Amino acid sequence: MRTRTAILVALFAGLHLVLLFAGFIAPYDPTTQNRELPYAPPARVHFKDSSGFHLRPFVYAWTSVRDGDQPDSSQDSYKEDRSHEYPIRFFVRGPSYKLLGIRETSAHLFGVGEPGKILLFGTDAYGRDELSRLLFGGQISVAAGITATFIALLAGSILGIIAGYYGRWIDESLMGITELFLSLPWLYFLLGVRAFLPLHLSTIRTFFLLTGVIGLIGWARPARLVRGVVLSSRNRNYVLAARGFGGSDFYLLRRHILPETFGLLLTQAALLVPRYVAAEVTLSFFGLGVNEPVPSWGNMLSTLQQYSILVSYGWLLTPACALVVTSVIYSVLADVFHSRLKSYSTEKK
């Protein structure tokens, strides 16, 4: 169990560190276009050439040719130009970016000399590096999921605590509203709400608009769960005893009741983050979220609405793979939190 938890923590930390330092890990600016390399396939990393084996890996440049080397063919393809090798070097200088959004720097983890390109995940229709866009897009999508989760849990916790602690008509009214929100098909409701809001906004405004809408729609389930915990905790003997000794409502909530909700909120956070990341991806996929040229996993996948692109350029599915990996990590984390919470409740009884 400890080994599994350690591996999970390492994966969780690794995922977020990679996204946090996306500018350092990404070899190129995600908005820089190279119209000479549209839909270039992932570069092949080599260790061996005609002269033998090399310790330093290298890549060849892609050159555009016609399919089957026929000039009259309309389908473009690529082949390696083996006349020159481009060694992969680490800790190089490249396009400038803001590290952690604060300090401007041009340091990158790896790269190759010009005019070579290291396109490990290929390029999109405009020749933009898919790996760089995946990393920067992950910052937007995952940050949207985390921010929306924080909003939903904050709103749900406040309303759930009020309903569970004070009860009576307050509880009935709030839980009635909660049932209404839970009965709504949230995806269609989210699409409908977003469609009525302005479409042409700056990236920052769009981000906060998305997270606000997603978070405020998703408060109902956390509120209901928190209300159940508070309703159970307020009638326990030690809470009744503290009230009998003159403990104020604030003291009882802070000292005895709110700590009971922390495990539940952690579990809910681990469950809601991937759901809200998927919500952002869905909105951006349909053109209602973050717009080009700023990448997000959703608008990166939007090009796959064309069947010909979907079947021809499989590397453009990498954002979907990243979304699956993120969802699995968070789901397993939620399972660990739930198991720990269940064990804690059993020991307390």
Side-chain angles (χ1 to χ4, degrees):
M1 182 67 181
R2 290 182 179 179
T3 303
R4 177 191 174 191
T5 304
I7 294 174
L8 177 62
V9 170
L11 290 174
F12 180 81
L15 170 67
H16 291 83
L17 283 175
V18 166
L19 295 180
L20 194 62
F21 292 94
F24 173 67
I25 299 173
Y28 303 108
D29 187 301
T31 62
T32 300
Q33 300 182 11
N34 187 347
R35 295 302 181 99
E36 295 180 357
L37 293 172
Y39 297 122
R44 301 167 189 166
V45 179
H46 299 271
F47 287 89
K48 187 178 180 181
D49 61 7
S50 57
S51 63
F53 183 82
H54 298 268
L55 292 177
R56 182 182 294 276
F58 61 90
V59 297
Y60 294 111
W62 286 121
T63 58
S64 179
V65 296
R66 296 293 181 179
D67 188 40
D69 292 327
Q70 297 178 3
D72 59 344
S73 174
S74 61
Q75 180 64 41
D76 288 334
S77 60
Y78 294 88
K79 70 176 181 179
E80 291 179 328
D81 180 6
R82 293 180 176 263
S83 63
H84 188 78
E85 299 171 359
Y86 297 94
I88 300 174
R89 303 186 183 278
F90 294 92
F91 303 106
V92 299
R93 295 291 176 182
S96 61
Y97 62 94
K98 285 190 175 181
L99 183 64
L100 301 177
I102 302 173
R103 179 186 175 187
E104 188 164 344
T105 180
S106 59
H108 292 263
L109 179 61
F110 63 93
V112 297
E114 294 292 339
K117 297 290 183 183
I118 179 166
L119 308 171
L120 296 182
F121 286 6
T123 66
D124 64 4
Y126 301 101
R128 297 175 296 192
D129 179 47
E130 192 74 1
L131 173 60
S132 301
R133 290 179 59 78
L134 178 73
L135 294 173
F136 280 95
Q139 285 186 332
I140 297 291
S141 297
V142 175
I146 293 174
T147 307
T149 298
F150 175 78
I151 294 172
L153 292 181
L154 180 63
S157 298
I158 293 173
L159 296 176
I161 289 169
I162 293 173
Y165 188 78
Y166 293 103
R168 299 183 180 178
W169 65 269
I170 298 178
D171 184 22
E172 294 179 1
S173 301
L174 290 177
M175 287 304 103
I177 298 174
T178 300
E179 292 294 336
L180 175 63
F181 269 80
L182 288 175
S183 65
L184 292 173
W186 71 271
L187 179 58
Y188 298 107
F189 185 68
L190 183 61
L191 290 171
V193 170
R194 180 63 185 92
F196 278 103
L197 297 174
L199 295 179
H200 302 290
L201 296 172
S202 65
T203 301
I204 295 178
R205 289 186 177 181
T206 302
F207 175 82
F208 285 108
L209 180 63
L210 274 179
T211 56
V213 170
I214 295 171
L216 292 177
I217 288 177
W219 64 268
R221 187 173 298 278
R224 189 174 184 180
L225 294 172
V226 169
R227 176 252 185 188
V229 173
V230 173
L231 195 63
S232 173
S233 299
R234 72 171 187 173
N235 294 320
R236 291 181 179 172
N237 292 333
Y238 58 85
V239 176
L240 296 175
R243 182 183 288 115
F245 282 109
S248 64
D249 290 346
F250 177 76
Y251 173 81
L252 295 176
L253 287 170
R254 178 181 62 83
R255 182 68 179 83
H256 297 295
I257 296 178
L258 290 183
E260 298 288 334
T261 66
F262 289 161
L264 171 67
L265 292 176
L266 284 175
T267 304
Q268 282 297 297
L271 288 171
L272 292 178
V273 168
R275 181 183 300 180
Y276 292 158
V277 171
E280 185 281 328
V281 169
T282 301
L283 289 174
S284 297
F285 180 82
F286 289 114
L288 298 174
V290 177
N291 296 318
E292 295 281 5
V294 177
S296 80
W297 288 347
N299 61 33
M300 289 176 67
L301 290 170
S302 63
T303 58
L304 300 180
Q305 295 181 49
Q306 302 179 41
Y307 179 74
S308 59
I309 295 178
L310 175 62
V311 299
S312 300
Y313 312 113
W315 57 88
L316 296 181
L317 284 168
T318 50
C321 298
L323 177 60
V324 171
V325 170
T326 303
S327 300
V328 169
I329 290 175
Y330 271 97
S331 297
V332 177
L333 185 65
D335 184 58
V336 170
F337 284 151
H338 178 71
S339 299
R340 293 292 178 88
L341 181 62
K342 193 174 181 180
S343 301
Y344 174 76
S345 300
T346 303
E347 290 175 2
K348 197 169 183 180
K349 291 179 180 179

